[in-house]
Amino acid sequence: MRSYSPDLTPPWKRSKPVPEVPAEPDLVVEEVSTGFCGAVIRCEKTAEGPTVTLEDRFGKHRVFPLVARGFLLEGRTVTLVRPTAGAPARPTRTASGSVAVPGARARVARAGRIYVEGRHDAELVERVWGDDLRIEGVVVEYLEGIDDLPAIVAEFAPAPDARLGVLVDHLVPGSKESRLAEQVTGDDVLVVGHPYIDVWEAVKPSSVGIAAWPTIPRGQDWKTGVCRSLGWPENTGAAWQRILSSVRSYRDLEPALLARVEELIDFVTDPPRE
């Protein structure tokens, strides 16, 4: 007869059970010991035991063992397990990499806004961050250039409860864009930018199916020059639709743009300071 050994561990010292969650592709979790946060890419069976590969929003991959209580899901400790073959997949995040909120309704628009230079910028932001922006109640508008940015900002009249974020193309030291940004940046106005001549370049070449974005000599229209160099019809509207259709999620964008848009969203949604 097998003897019975009671568990004499005090109740307050016993580990509470945590839920087991299938490591489905695109599930976003945080590894507890390193703080690395990313989406599940794959699970594998190795000699040392099962592992999971995570990819963060900048495309970096890390491999972790599937250990008990090893991950956080929406702030709660969980145990990741290998998914069962044939289990139904569920959407777990938006195109920007944020945790998806099924059935969430759009929030009433905030007084704060995000301005971008042109229609292509606005369409790209909507493509990747649209779900997030609707939940947060943030409206994105385009300016058709920023030559009149000081007057536009003055008319908007930013305030602690109505912050203004501006995304600028080709924001590099000494440029016209940088000088305009210096004129309007303040407590309730944040101007950020990416280094690319046009937002087209913020889409990864590999996503578009090209080796690299071509270098266009000064004096030529950049977009037309790109079409000509790549052998595309010299129709910039059609070219942009081709580029935009290649963007499925944040993974198709360069980190220099990703970080700036996230910064603007955080800025306009941060509660007013006391």
Side-chain angles (χ1 to χ4, degrees):
M1 177 182 293
R2 186 167 58 185
S3 61
Y4 170 72
S5 299
D7 184 357
L8 301 179
T9 305
W12 61 87
K13 289 188 176 181
R14 297 175 188 171
S15 297
K16 294 182 179 179
V18 300
E20 292 188 348
V21 177
E24 299 171 347
D26 284 345
L27 182 72
V28 178
V29 294
E30 178 182 339
E31 202 276 329
V32 295
S33 63
T34 63
F36 186 89
C37 183
V40 173
I41 299 300
R42 59 181 172 273
C43 288
E44 295 177 298
K45 188 175 182 181
T46 71
E48 290 75 28
T51 65
V52 61
T53 300
L54 303 182
E55 180 187 64
D56 70 9
R57 64 175 59 243
F58 300 109
K60 183 178 180 181
H61 288 196
R62 292 280 298 274
V63 179
F64 299 101
L66 286 178
V67 297
R69 308 174 66 90
F71 299 86
L72 298 177
L73 175 62
E74 299 182 14
R76 297 187 305 167
T77 302
V78 299
T79 296
L80 286 189
V81 296
R82 296 180 68 190
T84 303
R90 59 182 178 88
T92 57
R93 61 174 176 164
T94 66
S96 72
S98 299
V99 175
V101 184
R105 293 185 177 181
R107 176 174 174 164
V108 174
R110 296 173 182 266
R113 291 287 188 274
I114 292 177
Y115 286 169
V116 297
E117 281 204 48
R119 182 169 58 84
H120 293 180
D121 306 68
E123 289 176 344
L124 187 60
V125 170
E126 164 62 27
R127 183 86 168 194
V128 176
W129 288 274
D131 290 339
D132 307 59
L133 293 168
R134 279 181 283 279
I135 290 175
E136 294 291 349
V138 178
V139 175
V140 175
E141 301 179 12
Y142 65 91
L143 303 174
E144 293 291 3
I146 63 164
D147 289 345
D148 298 324
L149 186 60
I152 291 169
V153 172
E155 182 180 358
F156 182 85
D161 60 348
R163 295 194 184 98
L164 178 61
V166 184
L167 179 68
V168 177
D169 295 342
H170 201 229
L171 187 62
V172 296
S175 65
K176 173 191 72 176
E177 290 81 3
S178 67
R179 291 191 292 273
L180 288 170
E182 290 171 359
Q183 293 179 41
V184 300
T185 297
D187 290 343
D188 302 313
V189 182
L190 177 64
V191 182
V192 300
H194 55 73
Y196 311 113
I197 294 173
D198 189 272
V199 76
W200 288 19
E201 280 191 296
V203 180
K204 291 180 179 178
S206 57
S207 297
V208 184
I210 59 177
W213 289 105
T215 300
I216 307 303
R218 285 181 177 274
Q220 291 187 27
D221 177 74
W222 189 83
K223 292 177 181 176
T224 302
V226 166
C227 293
R228 187 179 300 128
S229 180
L230 294 176
W232 296 353
E234 293 182 22
N235 180 331
T236 57
W240 170 241
Q241 291 306 314
R242 176 175 182 167
I243 295 165
L244 185 62
S245 67
S246 71
V247 176
R248 293 166 294 279
S249 75
Y250 71 95
R251 295 190 186 98
D252 297 305
L253 302 183
E254 298 288 359
L257 177 66
L258 291 172
R260 299 291 77 78
V261 175
E262 297 281 356
E263 187 178 356
L264 289 177
I265 295 173
D266 290 343
F267 178 75
V268 300
T269 58
D270 190 36
R273 295 173 289 277
E274 297 293 337

